[in-house]
Structure formats: C-alpha cells, structure tokens
Amino acid sequence: MILLFHVLFYLWEVSNASETVSKPNIVIFMADDLGIGDLGCFGNRTLRTPNIDKLAREGAMLTQHIAASPLCTPSRAAFMTGRYSVRSGIASVHRTGVFVFSGSSGGLPSEETTFAKLLQQEGYSTALIGKWHLGINCNSSNDFCHHPLSHGFDYFYGIPLTNFRDCIPGHGSVFANGFKMYIHTVLQFIGIALISLKAVHYLGLFRGPIRALGYFFLIISVLLGLLLLLWYNFRYLNCILMRNHTIIQQPWIYENFTQRFTEEGKRFIKRNSEAPFLLFLSYPHVHTALFASQTFKGKSKHGLYGDAVEEMDWSIGDILHVLDQWHLSEKTLVYFTSDQGAHIEEISVNGEVHGGYNGIYKGGKSTNWEGGIRVPGLLRWPGVVEPNTYIDEPTSNMDIFPTVVKLAGASLPKDRIIDGHDLMPLLQGKAVRSMHEFLFHYCNAHLNAVRWHPENSMSIWKVFFFTPNFSPEGSNGCYDYHVCFCQGDFVTHHNPPLLFDLSRDPEEKNPLTPETESQFYEVIQVIQQAVNNHTASLSNVPNQLSLDNILWKPWLQPCCSSVLQFCYCDHEVEENKDVP
C-alpha cells in the first residue's frame, strides 16, 4: 500500500511538472544597437546593469549568440519568423537596408508566420511594447497590412518605425546624411541634362519649343522642393507613437518615454496573469536619438549613452519585479538580447560618443565582423534552466522562434524552411552541441560570411567573401559614412575568402592562409558546398526593400490630424487608459 502511495505521488509530481513546463509565459526584452560589452555580465565594469546581470546569474548566458543580420529591419524579420530575412524579401540590393519612412509600402509580408501568431493561435495573449520597424501599410494609409496587429499581436503600444536622430531637434539628421550622399550625384545629373538639352536645341537637333526645357526644370524644382519639405518635416511624419491602430502622439514626446513603455508592460502582465501571455518589450534604447529621464540623466559614467542603458536596465528590473509580485517568475521564460551590435560610428553633433562598446570584437552595426552580430543572449526560467549556466556554442536569435513555439504546444510550420533551432536541449543540459553546424551572414541581400562549427571539433571557422572598407583607413568602422555598406567601392572582395578560426582568434585579427593552416582549402571547400546547398534552398520572393517599397508615398503616410497641421497631435493624455 505504501509502495502504491509513493508511485501515485511520483506520478502526480511528474504530471504537475509537465503541466508547469507546458505553455509558460514568454517575456522578451530586446535592446536596439546595444553592444555586448556594455553589460556587466559580459565584462563591463563601469556601466551599471544590475537587473540584466541578475538575469544572467539566475539563468543561462549564450556567449556565442548571433544576430541573423547586423541591421535592425532584417534582424527583426529573422527573429520574428525564425528564418533568414532573405527568405521573406527583407534584404536590400542597394545601400539602404532598413525602412526609413512610415509612408513606405514595404514590410514583413503577410505570408510570413511569426511566433506571435502561432502563440496567439494557442490561446496566448500577445503584446508588443516598443519598436516594430517591419512596415505599416501596403496600399492605403490605413490598411495596416504590415502592422504588428496583422502579425499575431493582440496589443501594440509603440513606434512602428524606429528612433531617429531627427526625432529630437538639434540631435542631427539621418535623413540629411543620406541626402548629402546623393545630392551631389543628383545635381550633376540635372546639370548635365540641362546643358545637353540646351546644346541639342542650339544645334537644331531638337525642334521642340524652348518651353520644354522650362517644364523639365519646373518638374525637377518641384521634386527637389518636395524632398526639402520631407526633410524639414521628417520628425512630424516619421516619429509616430501608436496604440494599436491609433496614432496617439505625432511626433512622440520623449518625456518619461521609458516609464510609459514600462507601465504598459506591467499593466499587460497584470491583465493577463491568469492565462499564458507573450510580452515582447522592444526598447528603442540605445538607438539614437539617445534619451533619458531626469532621474537617470547625468548619472552614469558614460554620458547620455550610459544614462540610457542604465534606465533600460531599471525598466527591465521593474518588469521582473511585477513577475515576482504576481508569482509568475517560475511560470515565465525570460529572454534578453539586442537586435545587433553597437553602432560605434554614432557621434553626436557636439562630438560626444553616442555608440556602444562591443568588447574585444571587431567592427559594429552594419558589419558581419563579430562586433556587429555577436549579441547578448540571456535566458531565465527558474526550476527549468539552472542558474549560472554558460553555453559557449553558436546560437542565433532565430532560435527563439522554434523554442517558444514548441513550449507553447504549437507545431512548427511545415510549408517553409525554419532556420532556427530549439534551444531547450542546450538550456536543460540534454545536448552539449549546437544544432547550427553552419550560420550564414548576410550584408543586405549579399552573402557576406559563413561560420562552420564541425562535429567533433572545437574550431569555429568563419570565412568572409568580402569585407567593408573602414574609413578612415586603420579605424574600426566606417566613420566617414556613418555606417558601412555592402557593395561597390565600399567593400573589398577576397578570392580565396578570408578565413578565421574564432576559437583561437575571436577578435578576427589574423586571417589564416594555406601556409599557416593545413586545412585551409578543405575548410573553404566544405563551406562552399554548404553555401551551394543554402543558396539552392532560397526561393524568389518580392523584395520588400526595393527602391519602390522604401520610398515615401504620400498616400501611405499615417497622419493623425491634417497635412496643414503637419500631422501633429497628442492624444495620450486624454485617451482612455482602460485598454484591452
């Protein structure tokens, strides 16, 4: 009888344990442009990040966690879908690799399946608080085809585009930087065209009326005028704060911005404490323009950048405290990361460093050197993931997709390739090797580099087919252009490719040669075959970052008042806070 009692008690415990493990809550914290070297748990001794460091101690640290892209839009597309962004068409063939206008038509296609959508179908309440940067509209200013609510989120409070320097007057202009890059070429083209038309008319080769030249000049003048109008009103048109489909501030107001995002997250948790939920808190920190509330401004040792990091850490601590208050910590998987590495070229108009620190790693945002793609990866789940777990295996931000989908009890889509792998075997010690034998690193639509972690080997080989030309020469970034580009005179191609072994040279200082590495040609051959297999798995899809899809279209411009009022509004104070 006693034996039977023990057996029944054991079965009850097992049943309870499996019930606890199934359908956990999911809380995701994603920073923007945060360097891996900015956190105490990754070695920083001067920036205070106690709450993030506590996450690391209480769970697992992924020390080779790789962003699927070194730029915001494609990295987030890959994160949400578990697939390389080239598969969804979020891969540019020109210089601009992200969405820069709220009135553009590109975005995450409706055919793509996000983990939020799959969790929503499993009964999860889902919310995105913060940055989206994956498009808004397709054909009209209110079709919301790319909006978060069309991709599996029940609730959205945040910025549909991104945080720009332009959003704070006096902090400089990203749009102006791009304008300066192209204006020289445009003016040259116009000048040559006008001189040529005048010459052929003078020689009698063109018999049309001289007023045709005037019309041509008028059209060009109107287009340049519209461009200047867009430039001067960039802040009003693109710095938009939304609640669900409604614009509540245009442009948004930075005062207590972090506190507002934090309160939204806390309210969502409290509203959904009795059922499984997904909270994705996607911080605009520490993308420029940098901001910090009065409580944190001037308090760090690293200027406004440090203030912003420390305020974000406070916000994360506040959210974790609510999980503790509502006895939800043991039922919740928490994940922290950054969408890519620090933007080291960020210097304010006053000369202050506004970019982060990538530790020992080379390069930064917009490059596939380790500094651009090696990001913090922290996961905590008390009772399931052991504290102080260190995983020094290649993992990807795409791995979150299959991990949370399986935990929610959903099935992975079978009609498409999922490039991510379930992290739970690694996190629970049931596996010691990553499922990623190869990881492919894209610079926009161009395959830039590949890493290979062979079975039964400690080596992690990484090859580069081309590398960015740092400017000025000898620096660690592309300071002359604000970001590094992926083609033309901005890169150097390598044949044979550059080869590194990251297990011996994580700083990527010493490229290997056939003379210094006996396996040189064998490694290159294996990686080339992997590239061939990977390339064969890609399908042709519409390019969401084509010029047509990223250019501003006035009829798609979200506007909460009227164009005559420059779309200005501030409804947050008067709106009803009792939101679903």
Side-chain angles (χ1 to χ4, degrees), residues 24 46 64 79 159 236 243 257 267 299 305 307 310 321 424 467 485 503 527 576:
T46 53
Q64 293 190 58
F79 173 69
I159 57 180
Y236 288 90
R243 189 188 300 281
F257 216 16
R267 283 200 292 264
K299 300 297 173 62
Y305 182 89
D307 300 343
E310 293 186 0
H321 179 62
M424 290 310 296
T467 50
F485 296 109
S503 68
I527 289 177
N576 180 9

Side-chain angles (χ1 to χ4, degrees), residues 66-113:
I66 307 300
S69 170
L71 284 175
C72 304
T73 295
S75 176
R76 290 163 184 270
F79 173 69
M80 292 300 306
T81 63
R83 292 151 51 83
Y84 291 108
S85 61
V86 68
R87 299 193 191 277
S88 56
I90 309 284
S92 173
V93 295
H94 49 81
R95 288 184 193 175
T96 306
V98 299
F99 297 117
V100 292
F101 299 116
S102 59
S104 60
S105 56
L108 189 63
S110 57
E111 295 81 10
E112 289 297 321
T113 300

Side-chain angles (χ1 to χ4, degrees), residues 497-518:
L498 291 186
L499 175 65
F500 298 90
D501 182 357
L502 298 179
S503 68
R504 292 177 281 166
D505 181 20
E507 299 172 64
E508 297 170 298
K509 284 184 174 180
N510 304 302
L512 301 169
T513 66
E515 291 72 36
T516 60
E517 176 51 60
S518 61

Side-chain angles (χ1 to χ4, degrees), residues 448-461:
N448 182 190
V450 181
R451 76 178 62 210
W452 175 36
H453 187 26
E455 194 175 350
N456 302 320
S457 171
M458 296 298 292
S459 291
I460 299 174
W461 306 104

Side-chain angles (χ1 to χ4, degrees), residues 140 151 189 249 373 380:
S140 70
H151 280 292
F189 172 78
Q249 282 184 339
I373 55 176
R380 187 194 78 174

Side-chain angles (χ1 to χ4, degrees), residues 115-136:
F115 60 76
K117 186 175 289 185
L118 293 175
L119 266 62
Q120 188 183 55
Q121 292 169 359
E122 289 297 317
Y124 275 68
S125 295
T126 57
L128 170 60
I129 312 294
K131 172 176 169 173
W132 175 237
H133 211 179
L134 291 172
I136 309 175

Side-chain angles (χ1 to χ4, degrees), residues 251-505:
W252 65 64
I253 297 169
Y254 279 97
E255 184 180 359
N256 297 323
F257 216 16
T258 310
Q259 285 80 355
R260 283 183 277 160
F261 286 133
T262 307
E263 286 304 315
E264 287 288 340
K266 289 161 63 176
R267 283 200 292 264
F268 176 79
I269 291 171
K270 293 172 184 177
R271 289 197 303 269
N272 296 283
S273 60
E274 299 299 322
F277 62 80
L278 162 68
L279 171 62
F280 181 13
L281 218 166
S282 176
Y283 291 98
H285 312 63
V286 279
H287 196 293
T288 53
L290 296 177
F291 63 94
S293 64
Q294 288 302 318
T295 305
F296 292 88
K297 193 171 288 185
K299 300 297 173 62
S300 79
K301 296 179 180 179
H302 292 275
L304 188 54
Y305 182 89
D307 300 343
V309 171
E310 293 186 0
E311 184 163 24
M312 178 181 66
D313 180 82
W314 162 82
S315 172
I316 289 169
D318 221 29
I319 297 291
L320 296 177
H321 179 62
V322 170
L323 291 177
D324 288 338
Q325 273 186 322
W326 289 74
H327 308 291
L328 296 172
S329 294
E330 286 72 24
K331 304 174 186 175
T332 304
L333 174 66
V334 177
Y335 169 66
F336 174 84
T337 192
S338 177
D339 56 356
Q340 65 264 324
H343 192 174
I344 57 176
E345 295 94 344
E346 278 287 9
I347 309 293
S348 77
V349 292
N350 299 320
E352 182 181 347
V353 174
H354 276 190
Y357 177 53
N358 292 316
I360 66 170
Y361 303 112
K362 186 174 183 177
K365 176 179 178 174
S366 80
T367 81
N368 281 303
W369 295 112
E370 289 297 283
I373 55 176
R374 194 180 287 222
V375 293
L378 306 176
L379 294 106
R380 187 194 78 174
W381 188 0
V384 178
V385 177
E386 288 293 320
N388 295 307
T389 298
Y390 294 88
I391 298 172
D392 193 27
E393 286 284 303
T395 57
S396 169
N397 64 351
M398 296 184 292
D399 296 339
I400 296 304
F401 180 99
T403 302
V404 300
V405 167
K406 288 184 179 180
L407 287 174
S411 299
L412 294 177
K414 293 185 170 52
D415 61 343
R416 64 199 63 202
I417 293 173
I418 301 298
D419 297 298
H421 295 288
D422 184 6
L423 288 171
M424 290 310 296
L426 277 174
L427 294 174
Q428 293 183 287
K430 296 176 181 177
V432 294
R433 297 279 300 188
S434 167
M435 292 284 288
H436 289 288
E437 183 179 2
F438 298 96
L439 280 169
F440 302 92
H441 307 303
Y442 281 86
C443 188
N444 289 348
H446 311 284
L447 184 58
N448 182 190
V450 181
R451 76 178 62 210
W452 175 36
H453 187 26
E455 194 175 350
N456 302 320
S457 171
M458 296 298 292
S459 291
I460 299 174
W461 306 104
K462 184 178 178 184
V463 302
F464 280 92
F465 302 111
F466 62 87
T467 50
N469 297 328
F470 286 164
S471 56
E473 193 173 342
S475 67
N476 190 39
C478 300
Y479 291 89
D480 292 340
Y481 305 106
H482 190 62
V483 292
C484 295
F485 296 109
C486 305
Q487 58 202 61
D489 295 336
F490 296 102
V491 301
T492 297
H493 289 268
H494 304 285
N495 187 16
L498 291 186
L499 175 65
F500 298 90
D501 182 357
L502 298 179
S503 68
R504 292 177 281 166
D505 181 20

